Amino acid sequence: MQVIETIAAFRQVRSRYTGLGFVPTMGYLHEGHLSLVHRAKEECGAVAVSIFVNPTQFGPNEDFAGYPRDPKRDLELLEKEQVDLVFTPSPGEIYPPGSTTVVEVGDVTEMLEGAARPGHFRGVATIVCKLFNIVQASRAYFGQKDDERRAAVVLYRALTAAEKHFGAGERSSEALRRIMHDTLATEPQADIEYISLADRDTLRELDRVPPRGALASLAMRIGKTRLIDNCILEK
Ligand code: PAF
C-alpha cells in the first residue's frame, strides 16, 4: 500500500494502474467505509482511498477542528484490506492560497440537508470534483449515510416503522411521514428538524410513493447533537 500526500506524486503513481476503484473518505474509518473498499476491490481490482477532512463542507457553526481523526488506525485498517493507494493531502495541497474555484450544483442541493446546511454541498461537490480529477478512477463508491451517527436508535426505529407500513401497502406520504413522526415523538429529547418522503432523484416531496419507491429521510437534534438518517423505500 502506498500512502501519498501530494497531487504530483499521486498522478505519477496512479499512471501505473488501469481500472482504479475510488473510495473518498474523511477518515475515522468504520465498517461502512470498509464495505465500500471490498466492493471496489471486487469490481475494479485496484483501489484508491482518499482521507481528507474537507474544511469547505463545514459551516461556520460546525466543528471542523473537532471532527474525529485517527490517521494511524485508518492506515492500519486500509493496509489489512490491501488497498493499493491512499491519498492523504493537506488542506493547503487541495486549496492552495488564493484558490477560489467552487462547484455549485443547483436544485437538489437546496433541499433536505442542503436547506439545513447552506454551503455544505458546495464544499462536497468542490472536493469530489477535485478528487475525481486527481484520482482519475473508473468507478467511485460513496456510502448512503453516516454510520457514525447511527447511535440514535430512534431514527432507525422511525425508518423501520415506515418500511414496515410501506411493505404492508401504505403509499400515502402523509401517512408515512406521520408514522415516522409518531416514532420520533416517543423520544422526549428529540427536537425534529425535518421528516421527508421525497423523490429519489429530484428530492422533491411526494404526495404518494410511486412504484419505483422513494427516499425517506430524517433530521433531528438531541441536545447539541444533530442526527440524520435515511433509507430507500422500495419493493
Ligand atoms: O461523505 C463523505 O465522507 C464526504 O462528504 C466526502 C464525499 C468524502 C467528501 O468530503
Side-chain angles (χ1 to χ4, degrees):
M1 182 174 90
Q2 275 184 278
V3 183
I4 302 161
E5 290 175 13
T6 67
I7 297 170
F10 191 92
R11 287 206 166 121
Q12 215 170 25
V13 177
R14 194 260 164 268
S15 61
R16 295 185 209 138
Y17 293 85
T18 49
L20 205 54
F22 175 43
V23 184
T25 82
M26 299 218 295
Y28 213 67
L29 304 178
H30 50 64
E31 276 306 312
H33 296 111
L34 300 182
S35 71
L36 299 177
V37 170
H38 290 157
R39 175 111 178 249
K41 194 110 200 145
E42 269 167 31
E43 292 180 356
C44 307
V47 181
V49 173
S50 63
I51 300 177
F52 180 64
V53 184
N54 175 36
T56 64
Q57 69 189 70
F58 288 77
N61 301 322
E62 296 174 21
D63 195 3
F64 166 68
Y67 190 85
R69 293 163 169 88
D70 193 345
K72 187 169 170 286
R73 183 176 164 275
D74 287 348
L75 293 180
E76 281 166 10
L77 287 171
L78 296 178
E79 179 90 64
K80 264 195 215 138
E81 297 297 331
Q82 299 181 319
V83 163
D84 299 86
L85 302 176
V86 185
F87 184 45
T88 57
S90 64
E93 179 73 7
I94 295 292
Y95 300 108
S99 68
T100 52
T101 307
V102 294
V103 177
E104 223 23 288
V105 181
D107 210 29
V108 287
T109 63
E110 287 150 27
M111 292 169 244
L112 303 174
E113 277 304 282
R117 301 174 71 187
H120 171 67
F121 285 113
R122 183 192 310 124
V124 174
T126 302
I127 185 60
V128 168
C129 182
K130 281 174 180 275
L131 290 170
F132 278 2
N133 274 316
I134 297 162
V135 176
Q136 300 282 319
S138 316
R139 289 182 180 204
Y141 298 81
F142 294 86
Q144 194 184 323
K145 58 192 158 199
D146 190 337
D147 288 24
E148 182 196 314
R149 298 177 181 178
R150 69 186 165 193
V153 174
V154 70
L155 285 179
Y156 177 74
R157 281 205 290 117
L159 292 172
T160 310
E163 272 174 341
K164 189 174 140 212
H165 284 81
F166 176 78
E170 182 60 81
R171 294 293 180 270
S172 152
S173 301
E174 199 189 323
L176 291 165
R177 280 191 206 98
R178 194 171 50 246
I179 287 158
M180 291 190 275
H181 176 273
D182 291 350
T183 310
L184 293 183
T186 61
E187 166 56 59
Q189 285 178 295
D191 184 4
I192 300 170
E193 236 176 61
Y194 62 74
I195 298 175
S196 162
L197 215 89
D199 179 271
R200 293 167 62 167
D201 294 329
T202 66
L203 303 187
R204 295 204 179 282
E205 291 300 316
L206 296 165
D207 291 332
R208 288 191 67 75
V209 179
R212 70 188 209 92
L215 173 74
S217 55
L218 308 169
M220 68 173 196
R221 284 181 188 276
I222 293 191
K224 282 192 185 158
T225 309
R226 186 164 180 277
L227 302 149
I228 57 173
D229 205 347
N230 68 69
C231 73
I232 305 281
L233 299 181
E234 64 187 341
K235 284 198 90 178

